[in-house]
Amino acid sequence: MSALVAIALVVSVTAMFLGDETDGRSGCAQMADAVGLYPGNDVTMRGVRVGEVTSIAPSQGHVEVRFDLDDGVELPADVSAVTTSDSIVTDRHLEFPSGRVTGPAWDLSQCIPLDRTHTPKSVSEAYAAFDKLSREVTAAASTSGRGRDIVRDAMNRVNESLRGTGPDFNNAVRGLAAALGDPALRDAQLRSLLTNVGELTGFFVERWPALQLGLTKLGEFAVTFDEWFSVLNPAVVDTTKLTPSLLRLIRTYSPDVFKVLDVLVPLLDRVPVETIVGILRKLPPVSAGLQRILAQGAKAGGVTVAPPRVRVAASSPVVCRTVNAAMPGACRPVAGRTDTVDLALVAMVLGTVRGGR
């Protein structure tokens, strides 16, 4: 009887241990290499431990990594796996970047294929790539003198570009290593980045009506400016065509105009300002009347217009002699007075210009 009890106890304990072993879920992944990955290392999903690596074995040009998952952990049908580490001095662990939320699950009886797994490039591979680059550059430099000059010039330019950047590069690498080595700092930086992006997005969302209006007005302004410039451009072209003619007129008539001004300026100093203003005020009505007369054509008959004269104080008869020398009859003494003359100011200006033609 005691023997039967002992056998039953052994069977029960064995069944219990076997049940515990089968409670977990096992799977495998094909990796290009398993550098830094060992049995017992963690299996993580989005940074959370969900199992451990049980074995690593070579298989047909790649490495087969087997692992156990905790109870209730399922992988999505589009599962992928990577080997990663918190810093360059620690062992790697197997990471599943995404977990199953909805949809079909991955069949753990199948290994995750090689095209769904990724491993960091090893230092030896980096050195091999650098060695290959060095050999190719050396071969290109040894083919001809021109190739050697090109390589030397390129190396000199790279040297000049990198000179003095060692401390900055060192600080950047140290900061990157610290950020990658501290998951909490990395998560905090990522959270801060996402928060800033959210605030920026909220800023645009809250002010989108104003931004939309501004963009719309900017488009309308661009259309208006294009229309305005299409009108202004011919005017600018015409102005450039007119400029040579204006310069020729200035060169032709400027000597005569200056002569008249030399005579008129001293006389205008003696003319009361009220008189000049009165003459200027009479010019628009006279011009309008002339336009009406000319618009009537021959029916209106001929009209003789005598420009008004300006009475100027002149105590010396030399003034009239000087003016009449330039234009006969433009200056005449006032009857019974010796200190005043009548000056045909408008006739002098118009006559001088007409005579210059």
Side-chain angles (χ1 to χ4, degrees):
M1 184 67 179
S2 59
L4 293 177
V5 172
I7 294 173
L9 181 60
V10 171
V11 172
S12 300
V13 172
T14 304
M16 181 179 65
F17 278 105
L18 290 176
D20 290 342
E21 290 181 357
T22 57
D23 285 342
R25 311 190 64 190
S26 300
C28 64
Q30 298 174 354
M31 313 293 293
D33 62 68
V35 176
L37 194 66
Y38 304 98
N41 286 14
D42 291 341
V43 175
T44 60
M45 180 180 293
R46 297 178 180 176
V48 179
R49 187 185 185 283
V50 295
E52 69 175 22
V53 177
T54 57
S55 66
I56 301 173
S59 174
Q60 300 179 356
H62 59 271
V63 177
E64 187 172 285
V65 179
R66 302 199 66 84
F67 53 87
D68 284 344
L69 296 178
D70 295 341
D71 295 339
V73 177
E74 292 186 333
L75 302 179
D78 57 349
V79 64
S80 61
V82 297
T83 57
T84 183
S85 61
D86 293 334
S87 71
I88 60 175
V89 296
T90 60
D91 292 339
R92 296 178 182 176
H93 56 267
L94 186 64
E95 166 77 12
F96 297 115
S98 60
R100 178 176 176 267
V101 180
T102 58
W106 175 258
D107 184 4
L108 289 176
S109 64
Q110 300 181 5
C111 266
I112 301 174
L114 195 62
D115 58 356
R116 292 194 181 189
T117 62
H118 307 278
T119 58
K121 293 298 180 181
S122 63
V123 176
S124 59
E125 289 180 331
Y127 284 150
F130 185 76
D131 180 67
K132 179 181 179 182
L133 176 63
S134 300
R135 284 188 279 104
E136 292 178 353
V137 170
T138 304
S142 62
T143 55
S144 64
R146 175 174 174 77
R148 184 166 52 255
D149 293 339
I150 293 175
V151 172
R152 182 172 58 250
D153 182 65
M155 293 296 102
N156 290 333
R157 291 178 181 273
V158 171
N159 180 51
E160 291 295 331
S161 300
L162 297 179
R163 181 173 298 172
T165 61
D168 294 336
F169 182 76
N170 186 31
N171 292 334
V173 172
R174 289 178 181 273
L176 181 61
L180 294 177
D182 187 350
L185 178 60
R186 178 179 56 194
D187 294 342
Q189 292 176 341
L190 180 60
R191 190 181 304 109
S192 176
L193 177 62
L194 295 177
T195 301
N196 293 335
V197 172
E199 292 178 356
L200 182 61
T201 304
F203 172 84
F204 281 107
V205 170
E206 292 175 1
R207 293 165 176 79
W208 176 244
L211 293 173
Q212 186 179 22
L213 179 61
L215 294 175
T216 303
K217 294 298 182 182
L218 181 62
E220 295 176 356
F221 171 77
V223 174
T224 304
F225 181 79
D226 181 68
E227 295 175 352
W228 174 75
F229 191 78
S230 63
V231 176
L232 178 63
N233 187 40
V236 174
V237 174
D238 293 340
T239 302
T240 58
K241 294 179 180 178
L242 181 61
T243 301
S245 301
L246 292 175
L247 293 176
R248 287 195 299 269
L249 290 174
I250 292 174
R251 294 193 188 100
T252 302
Y253 299 116
S254 59
D256 296 332
V257 173
F258 288 147
K259 289 179 181 180
V260 174
L261 292 177
D262 290 339
V263 176
L264 292 181
V265 169
L267 298 176
L268 290 176
D269 290 339
R270 304 180 181 183
V271 178
V273 177
E274 293 78 5
T275 304
I276 298 177
V277 173
I279 295 175
L280 295 177
R281 287 177 177 175
K282 292 179 181 179
L283 290 179
V286 172
S287 176
L290 290 176
Q291 291 179 3
R292 288 195 299 269
I293 293 173
L294 294 175
Q296 294 177 3
K299 295 180 180 180
V303 177
T304 301
V305 178
R309 290 177 174 268
V310 179
R311 183 158 294 181
V312 180
S315 58
S316 174
V318 177
V319 175
C320 268
R321 285 199 299 270
T322 303
V323 174
N324 289 332
M327 178 175 289
C331 181
R332 64 188 182 190
V334 178
R337 302 185 61 176
T338 59
D339 59 346
T340 307
V341 296
D342 287 337
L343 187 65
L345 184 60
V346 177
M348 288 180 63
V349 176
L350 297 178
T352 302
V353 175
R354 185 171 58 249
R357 293 180 183 175

